[in-house]
Amino acid sequence: MNVNKWIENIVNWFGNAVVLIVLMPFFKGILKHFFETIIKSVYEKNLEQFKDNLYRSTRAYELLLDREMKFYDEIHEDMVELARLQYELRASLDRDSKLNTSIDEFIQQYKKYTELFISIKNKVLVNRLYIPKEIIESFLEFIRQIEINHKFWFEIAGIILNDRYDSINKADCEKMINSFIFSLEKTQEKIFNHLKKISIETSV
């Protein structure tokens, strides 16, 4: 006997009300299984989508972080070299300095300074989309200071080429170097605090 015939016999014997009572557990079980299947399917689908989105976002974060760290590594070398050149340029102004071998030496140091200046500007420009805004702003301030010092040493080069060492204001040289070092340290501090924040976030 099929289900439809069985239901028809119950209706004929006991009426519709009894049929509902008899069939209620039967349909309840079917509906329960039906909704459980739907919920499980939706949950599994959402779970897979969540896993996929999580993987994509995590992978994207890793790529951005790798690029950011590479930027810091590369530009750090330029910053350290610029700081060294500041002192060598200053020392070359002293006729008795061991670093003051010739005017050509000063010019070579100035050219190297110019190359590093351009290198830092280009690296900041190329990577600015991958670096936090506050770090970029600090670098832009640092670059402005590099440019100020660059113009200053250019003027000093003119004085040296005209052999007018006595007209060089050594106090101004020290002031320019101190301003450069202050700007460099300020930028490095920004980077350090940012990296420290990342380290805490990724360790949680």
Side-chain angles (χ1 to χ4, degrees):
M1 178 183 298
N2 58 39
V3 175
N4 292 332
K5 186 64 175 176
W6 180 69
I7 295 174
E8 183 180 345
N9 290 336
I10 294 178
V11 172
N12 293 332
W13 294 337
F14 303 101
N16 292 330
V18 175
V19 171
L20 289 176
I21 295 174
V22 172
L23 295 182
M24 188 174 294
F26 175 74
F27 284 116
K28 182 178 179 181
I30 293 177
L31 291 174
K32 181 180 178 183
H33 177 72
F34 174 74
F35 285 116
E36 286 178 348
T37 302
I38 292 178
I39 293 172
K40 182 179 180 182
S41 176
V42 172
Y43 172 78
E44 291 178 348
K45 182 178 180 181
N46 290 339
L47 180 61
E48 289 301 319
Q49 185 175 359
F50 172 77
K51 288 180 178 179
D52 184 61
N53 292 338
L54 181 62
Y55 171 78
R56 290 173 180 270
S57 61
T58 302
R59 182 56 180 157
Y61 176 78
E62 290 175 350
L63 291 174
L64 290 174
L65 188 60
D66 287 344
R67 183 166 297 212
E68 184 180 351
M69 295 303 106
K70 183 179 179 181
F71 166 77
Y72 295 140
D73 287 339
E74 292 178 351
I75 208 164
H76 175 74
E77 297 179 4
D78 291 346
M79 295 170 73
V80 171
E81 183 65 11
L82 270 179
R84 184 187 66 80
L85 284 172
Q86 295 287 328
Y87 291 102
E88 289 195 1
L89 287 166
R90 164 62 183 84
S92 66
L93 302 179
D94 187 352
R95 290 183 182 274
D96 298 327
S97 172
K98 294 181 179 179
L99 294 175
N100 186 18
T101 56
S102 66
I103 294 176
D104 290 338
E105 185 70 18
F106 180 91
I107 299 302
Q108 290 301 318
Q109 291 170 353
Y110 180 76
K111 287 182 178 179
K112 181 62 176 177
Y113 184 98
T114 303
E115 293 172 358
L116 290 171
F117 175 32
I118 295 173
S119 175
I120 288 179
K121 286 180 67 175
N122 288 339
K123 287 174 181 177
V124 171
L125 180 63
V126 170
N127 294 280
R128 64 185 306 163
L129 294 179
Y130 310 103
I131 311 301
K133 182 179 178 180
E134 64 272 16
I135 303 297
I136 288 296
E137 291 176 349
S138 182
F139 266 110
L140 293 178
E141 292 180 7
F142 179 56
I143 288 173
R144 283 191 285 270
Q145 185 61 54
I146 297 175
E147 186 172 9
I148 291 172
N149 285 44
H150 185 263
K151 292 179 180 178
F152 174 80
W153 292 119
F154 177 78
E155 295 173 357
I156 296 297
I159 294 175
I160 292 176
L161 290 173
N162 289 297
D163 197 23
R164 294 188 292 110
Y165 281 86
D166 293 338
S167 64
I168 296 175
N169 190 324
K170 301 293 182 63
D172 286 344
C173 294
E174 295 297 333
K175 181 179 179 181
M176 295 303 297
I177 293 175
N178 290 337
S179 296
F180 175 89
I181 297 301
F182 175 78
S183 182
L184 183 147
E185 290 177 345
K186 185 178 178 181
T187 302
Q188 288 182 323
E189 183 180 7
K190 286 275 189 179
I191 295 173
F192 173 79
N193 291 335
H194 172 62
L195 295 179
K196 184 178 180 180
K197 181 180 178 182
I198 291 177
S199 177
I200 293 174
E201 290 175 350
T202 54
S203 63
V204 175

